[in-house]
Amino acid sequence: MLGKLCEKQGIPYSYGKGRLENRSEILEDIQAVRPTHVFNAAGVTGRPNVDWCEFHKLETIRSNVVGALTLADVCKQHNLLMVNYTSGCIFDYDDSHPLGSGMGFTEEDVSNYSGSFFSLTKAMVDVLVRQYDNVCNLRLRMPISSDLDNPRNFIFKIRTYKRVVNIPNSMSVLDELIPISIEMAKRNLTGIWNFTNPGVVSHNEILEMYKTYVDPNFKWVNFHSGRTSQSYCCLPLQQSIGCI
């Protein structure tokens, strides 16, 4: 999606060839391309779902922690702005942010959720990357795109689950937000950003819309006891991109 948008806007770009955790390979990429900005859309989320990370912790650390920080550090040494697409799945409803209260988490808040190893790695980087003044850290939630056949699309994933927990979440519509991230890079914006669309949408609301507009015969089952990593953590982010 980033590549296509760059082509449309006439922005020269190149995809990185190195592994994030291999510093020498990142240096080779930067020296070969000599970019003005670096966009990091890489990372381990797990296939077929995030539960994969629970059983492949070292691989997850190498990519999501060591890799992201290595890239940020190399970019810092070369005076490059790094736009880091990360996960906002690092918060959960609590006493200060009760369900239905409308109280959202801000960019200054640190993670209160460690229910999955994937979220733990993202929460670590969310804290550590604040030390790099060359990083624009974008917290995305439940990425949705117009390509409903993309297996990484939240709508595609949630309709394939046998059971779904019905929790309101912040959502990130990529068709709307990715172009904004390119504009943020042009303006050299940095810091932590809750990169979501306004408000929250429940999982049932998403599936109701899927049933209405795509498959009238679609059915699903809710569950309410406990949480699994497949159900994701709750995240009512205090949306802030309106000031861009």
Side-chain angles (χ1 to χ4, degrees), residues 42-43 47 53 64 70 73 77 79 129 140 158 165 179 208-209 217 234 240:
R47 292 177 186 268
C53 298
N64 292 356
T70 298
D73 195 58
Q77 289 185 330
N79 297 314
V129 81
L140 286 88
I158 197 172
V165 63
E208 286 285 0
M209 286 187 279
N217 297 316
C234 318
S240 64

Side-chain angles (χ1 to χ4, degrees), residues 67-120:
L69 293 177
T70 298
L71 183 59
D73 195 58
V74 171
C75 287
K76 175 63 176 177
Q77 289 185 330
H78 288 77
N79 297 314
L80 295 171
L81 185 141
M82 169 182 155
V83 177
N84 188 47
Y85 300 101
T86 187
S87 175
C89 188
I90 58 175
F91 296 108
D92 198 1
Y93 292 113
D94 58 18
D95 291 340
S96 300
H97 307 83
L99 180 65
S101 68
M103 296 293 295
F105 293 90
T106 70
E107 285 84 353
E108 287 71 34
D109 289 324
V110 295
S111 173
N112 70 342
Y113 177 78
S114 59
S116 74
F117 192 75
F118 166 82
S119 295
L120 181 62

Side-chain angles (χ1 to χ4, degrees), residues 2-243:
L2 273 170
K4 290 179 179 178
L5 285 169
C6 286
E7 288 178 3
K8 186 177 180 180
Q9 296 185 27
I11 301 172
Y13 72 96
S14 177
Y15 293 118
K17 299 178 181 178
R19 298 290 302 178
L20 286 182
E21 64 269 25
N22 295 333
R23 192 181 189 93
S24 61
E25 294 181 3
I26 294 175
L27 284 168
E28 289 177 5
D29 279 339
I30 289 178
Q31 290 167 358
V33 177
R34 298 191 180 280
T36 59
H37 301 76
V38 174
F39 292 78
N40 180 32
V44 168
T45 57
R47 292 177 186 268
N49 55 58
V50 75
D51 286 339
W52 180 93
C53 298
E54 304 296 327
F55 306 99
H56 300 83
K57 293 184 177 180
L58 291 183
E59 295 96 322
T60 305
I61 291 173
R62 289 190 190 106
S63 176
N64 292 356
V65 182
V66 177
L69 293 177
T70 298
L71 183 59
D73 195 58
V74 171
C75 287
K76 175 63 176 177
Q77 289 185 330
H78 288 77
N79 297 314
L80 295 171
L81 185 141
M82 169 182 155
V83 177
N84 188 47
Y85 300 101
T86 187
S87 175
C89 188
I90 58 175
F91 296 108
D92 198 1
Y93 292 113
D94 58 18
D95 291 340
S96 300
H97 307 83
L99 180 65
S101 68
M103 296 293 295
F105 293 90
T106 70
E107 285 84 353
E108 287 71 34
D109 289 324
V110 295
S111 173
N112 70 342
Y113 177 78
S114 59
S116 74
F117 192 75
F118 166 82
S119 295
L120 181 62
T121 62
K122 293 297 184 178
M124 290 178 180
V125 173
D126 191 81
V127 172
L128 295 175
V129 81
R130 296 168 188 256
Q131 304 306 312
Y132 288 90
D133 60 6
N134 63 310
V135 174
C136 182
N137 204 47
L138 306 180
R139 296 169 172 170
L140 286 88
R141 285 294 292 140
M142 308 301 192
I144 295 174
S145 74
S146 54
D147 181 7
L148 296 181
D149 293 323
N150 189 323
R152 311 310 288 171
N153 188 336
F154 173 67
I155 297 176
F156 182 99
K157 289 194 291 185
I158 197 172
R159 71 177 175 82
T160 62
Y161 291 160
K162 293 182 179 180
R163 298 184 304 156
V164 177
V165 63
N166 185 34
I167 298 176
N169 269 291
S170 295
M171 304 283 172
S172 297
V173 180
L174 301 184
D175 299 71
E176 297 176 355
L177 297 182
I178 298 303
I180 293 177
S181 68
I182 295 176
E183 180 63 28
M184 293 174 75
K186 291 179 181 179
R187 302 186 188 192
N188 292 317
L189 299 181
T190 58
I192 309 293
W193 298 78
N194 288 338
F195 209 54
T196 65
N197 291 78
V200 295
V201 183
S202 72
H203 299 178
N204 276 11
E205 287 177 306
I206 292 286
L207 293 176
E208 286 285 0
M209 286 187 279
Y210 181 82
K211 182 174 182 178
T212 299
Y213 296 108
V214 181
D215 182 3
N217 297 316
F218 180 76
K219 297 180 181 180
W220 69 94
V221 176
N222 286 133
F223 73 98
H224 305 281
S225 58
R227 286 195 176 96
T228 67
S229 52
Q230 279 196 35
S231 71
Y232 298 92
C233 54
C234 318
L235 181 59
L237 285 176
Q238 186 64 46
Q239 186 265 355
S240 64
I241 63 168
C243 62

